[in-house]
Amino acid sequence: MKKLWIASCCFLSALAFTACDNKSSEANEEQSSTEVTTEDTTGTAVAAPTDTTLTEDKKELMTFAANAGMLQMELGKLAVEKGSSDQVRQYGQRMVDIYTTRQKELQELAKQYRVTLPQTMENDQMERVQELRDTDPEKFDKAYWDTVVDAHQEAVKEYDDKLKDVKEATASGFTLWARNNLKEMRAQMEEAMRFRLDMRNRT
């Protein structure tokens, strides 16, 4: 009888130990799952930083980028509508396509950083667009190149000023986007300057 009692106690102890071990395993699995989620989240943040804060000058650059993008789109639409040469019309259409995409990207970044972007151009930009719209048809192409080159030069200078202090190791999602956009704008500006020079040499 005593042996039977001892055997029963051993069996119950084994069951209790197994149950505890299962609970411990489940807890470890939950902890492991949490750690994976945390690592995944951290990994995503590193790939595309979303620190939700920007310095004042970077907020100003984001606003400037939105206005500059809208200006290039409107100038491009006029080039497609009123340009005399294929060169002007094709370049204008590319600007519309490129900056439509850039504006969408910028809107997504603005949401991440809780920045409200302007929905309309500034007054001087609207005046610039209207001045180009009112240009005589025979003078339009020259006026377009002059206007678009000036707009690119202003944008490149503003980007340069706001990004000169940004180091690669501390670059945020927005500043990485802005640097890439700056490289593209330089190329667009240089192309427009070549087209303008070609037109002047032909006349």
Side-chain angles (χ1 to χ4, degrees):
M1 187 71 178
K2 185 177 180 181
K3 290 181 179 181
L4 180 60
W5 182 81
I6 292 173
S8 298
C9 287
C10 289
F11 176 73
L12 291 173
S13 296
L15 283 177
F17 178 80
T18 301
C20 289
D21 187 58
N22 287 340
K23 288 181 180 179
S24 177
S25 297
E26 290 172 2
N28 287 337
E29 287 174 3
E30 289 176 2
Q31 183 178 3
S32 176
S33 175
T34 302
E35 289 171 354
V36 169
T37 302
T38 302
E39 289 171 2
D40 288 345
T41 302
T42 303
T44 301
V46 170
T50 54
D51 52 5
T52 72
T53 59
L54 286 178
T55 58
E56 284 304 314
D57 62 334
K58 299 305 180 295
K59 288 180 182 179
E60 290 174 4
L61 179 58
M62 187 175 279
T63 297
F64 176 86
N67 280 319
M70 286 187 283
L71 176 59
Q72 287 293 349
M73 288 169 62
E74 291 303 313
L75 295 176
K77 290 175 184 177
L78 280 178
V80 173
E81 176 188 342
K82 301 188 66 175
S84 299
S85 67
D86 289 341
Q87 206 171 56
V88 167
R89 290 193 295 270
Q90 290 169 5
Y91 183 92
Q93 185 60 58
R94 280 199 292 118
M95 293 303 100
V96 173
D97 296 341
I98 288 170
Y99 284 95
T100 296
T101 299
R102 293 293 167 268
Q103 292 296 89
K104 290 178 181 177
E105 294 170 351
L106 194 57
Q107 287 286 354
E108 289 302 313
L109 285 166
K111 289 179 184 177
Q112 294 175 9
Y113 292 100
R114 299 182 178 89
V115 174
T116 301
L117 295 179
Q119 300 302 308
T120 58
M121 293 181 293
E122 295 183 343
N123 289 337
D124 64 325
Q125 293 174 316
M126 288 189 283
E127 289 172 3
R128 193 181 300 189
V129 171
Q130 187 60 48
E131 183 178 349
L132 183 62
R133 182 178 286 112
D134 295 338
T135 301
D136 292 338
E138 64 274 12
K139 298 178 180 178
F140 180 86
D141 285 10
K142 178 182 181 302
Y144 174 72
W145 290 130
D146 288 341
T147 304
V148 82
V149 166
D150 287 347
H152 279 315
Q153 288 176 331
E154 291 169 8
V156 166
K157 183 180 184 304
E158 183 70 15
Y159 273 66
D160 272 335
D161 289 344
K162 293 293 191 295
L163 294 174
K164 62 186 178 183
D165 62 333
V166 177
K167 296 177 181 173
E168 196 69 35
T170 58
S172 66
F174 169 65
T175 51
L176 288 173
W177 178 90
R179 277 182 168 176
N180 183 59
N181 204 29
L182 174 58
K183 291 177 184 178
E184 292 183 355
M185 281 191 299
R186 286 189 194 281
Q188 294 160 9
M189 177 183 68
E190 291 168 2
E191 185 180 18
M193 291 173 74
R194 288 196 303 271
F195 288 154
R196 181 174 66 174
L197 182 60
D198 288 344
M199 192 187 75
R200 287 176 177 175
N201 290 337
R202 291 196 302 269
T203 58

